[in-house]
Amino acid sequence: MRALVAGGAGFVGSHLVERLVAMGHDVVVVDDFSTGRRENLAAVAHEVTILEVNITDASAMEAIEGPFDQVFNLASPASPVDYHRLPIHTLMTGSTGVKHTLDLAHAHGARYLLASTSEVYGDPQVHPQPETYLGHVNPVGPRSVYDEAKRFGEAMTAAYRREFGVDTKIVRIFNTFGPRMRVEDGRAIPNFVHQALMGREITVAGDGHQTRSICYVDDLVSGLVAMMESGASGPVNLGNPEEISMLDLATWIRDLAESDSQIVHVPRPIDDPQIRRPDITLAAELLGWSPSTTAEIGLKATIEDFRNRR
């Protein structure tokens, strides 16, 4: 089995690449390293082909030599820090880049998986969020460059399935965490872990009552592989349905890190969702998938990874 992983040097992408290598796949990693890092692939660098390519560059994509059986598209800035820094790049990656990776899959008769996001639901008015919920998204807010890029990417993927018969799959990834998250990522868990380990104030946005559902990266990767190997087209939610408030999460991480950091409150970002929890009924029915790693085990592994890298 030969697989191409766009965004394979990123946090989730690198864990997926390692899993595919362990399964015996021949893996080609495509990444422009705008947010991904070569060191994320250190453990398998001698077993994979790594191409520094921006998927929005049509000529560079056309030069990639096949054949491929599977194309995983995880390419996109994913944290607010990154997509606020790279707004146009984020939009182009989620539009032109999706088209180019779909063209590659179509040319090689490969299965195609788009890693979409729970952000397509916006600040939801339905809870938990099933795949049938159409979302509540601000199309011109500061988060829109990511939200709308992913929504467009889903539409493009579905269109290629209908018009060209490409065997496409869409997954909507909810909050995921684990080793290799960047210290400067900007999302809650890396922020809290880094601040706790450094003895700094732990900054919780707003009153901290907003909730998220956190899934350990190993479980997510199992879901990605199961989706690619299934007959399902999606969209399918992948995430942990256990919900926790940001204030409780910050306190828990502080305790696990054995830190004496103080928790302080800072303004909430614009359009920050109040609630977020996946309905994973479809994933269980179609893929036989549900997360198996407890949040505590995952948080301990993440804290240890941050401690070692510090």
Side-chain angles (χ1 to χ4, degrees):
M1 189 71 67
R2 193 160 193 253
L4 181 141
V5 182
F11 159 53
V12 173
S14 62
H15 285 277
L16 173 62
V17 168
E18 285 189 358
R19 180 73 63 86
L20 295 175
V21 169
M23 293 170 62
H25 289 26
D26 178 12
V27 181
V28 175
V29 174
V30 170
D31 206 298
D32 68 356
F33 298 99
S34 57
T35 59
R37 295 182 172 179
R38 290 185 183 274
E39 53 263 37
N40 287 343
L41 296 167
V44 292
H46 61 292
E47 300 178 73
V48 303
T49 300
I50 302 173
L51 303 177
E52 186 168 352
V53 171
N54 184 334
I55 64 169
T56 68
D57 183 338
S59 60
M61 289 296 294
E62 290 169 359
I64 296 173
E65 295 183 0
F68 295 103
D69 304 291
Q70 300 176 342
V71 175
F72 292 85
N73 184 6
L74 283 74
S76 177
S79 79
V81 167
D82 290 328
Y83 58 71
H84 290 159
R85 176 174 60 90
L86 301 166
I88 305 303
H89 177 63
T90 301
L91 285 164
M92 296 304 293
T93 300
S95 54
T96 305
V98 169
K99 182 182 187 303
H100 293 161
T101 52
L102 280 163
D103 286 337
L104 185 145
H106 183 31
H108 295 286
R111 284 188 166 188
Y112 179 91
L113 184 145
L114 175 70
S116 187
T117 173
S118 60
E119 296 295 336
V120 301
Y121 299 123
D123 190 4
Q125 298 174 310
V126 172
H127 194 68
Q129 294 81 59
E131 292 84 352
T132 52
Y133 178 53
L134 301 182
H136 179 226
V137 177
N138 178 359
V140 294
R143 301 174 71 98
S144 66
V145 296
Y146 182 63
D147 302 355
E148 297 294 0
K150 288 296 188 179
R151 288 164 70 92
F152 180 91
E154 288 195 15
M156 180 71 78
T157 300
Y160 265 67
R161 183 178 186 87
R162 289 191 293 264
E163 184 166 348
F164 301 120
V166 179
D167 188 358
T168 62
K169 289 118 188 347
I170 299 170
V171 295
R172 291 174 177 163
I173 298 173
F174 283 66
N175 296 76
T176 302
F177 73 101
R180 297 191 201 131
M181 296 192 86
R182 290 163 30 229
V183 170
E184 70 276 19
D185 179 275
R187 285 174 283 194
I189 289 179
N191 271 357
F192 295 163
V193 171
H194 179 62
Q195 290 165 341
L197 291 176
M198 297 299 291
R200 299 175 181 170
E201 292 180 336
I202 298 176
T203 53
V204 173
D207 60 14
H209 293 160
Q210 66 272 28
T211 65
R212 298 294 183 269
S213 302
I214 59 173
C215 182
Y216 191 59
V217 66
D218 286 357
D219 288 332
L220 176 68
V221 167
S222 295
L224 295 175
V225 172
M227 184 66 174
M228 179 61 91
E229 295 180 347
S230 76
S233 60
V236 171
N237 290 334
L238 294 180
N240 192 323
E242 295 182 4
E243 196 172 5
I244 186 170
S245 76
M246 291 297 93
L247 184 56
D248 287 345
L249 180 60
T251 304
W252 194 8
I253 287 173
R254 181 184 63 182
D255 293 344
L256 290 174
E258 299 178 339
S259 169
D260 58 2
S261 293
Q262 297 297 308
I263 293 177
V264 300
H265 296 267
V266 298
R268 280 183 68 180
I270 297 173
D271 295 331
D272 183 46
Q274 180 63 30
I275 51 177
R276 185 61 59 75
R277 176 160 64 96
D279 180 334
I280 60 169
T281 303
L282 268 184
E285 292 177 351
L286 299 178
L287 311 179
W289 178 88
S290 63
S292 60
T293 307
T294 66
E296 181 164 347
I297 289 174
L299 287 173
K300 285 180 177 178
T302 304
I303 290 168
E304 186 63 21
D305 172 67
F306 271 64
R307 183 177 280 121
N308 290 339
R309 285 190 285 148
R310 186 185 63 171

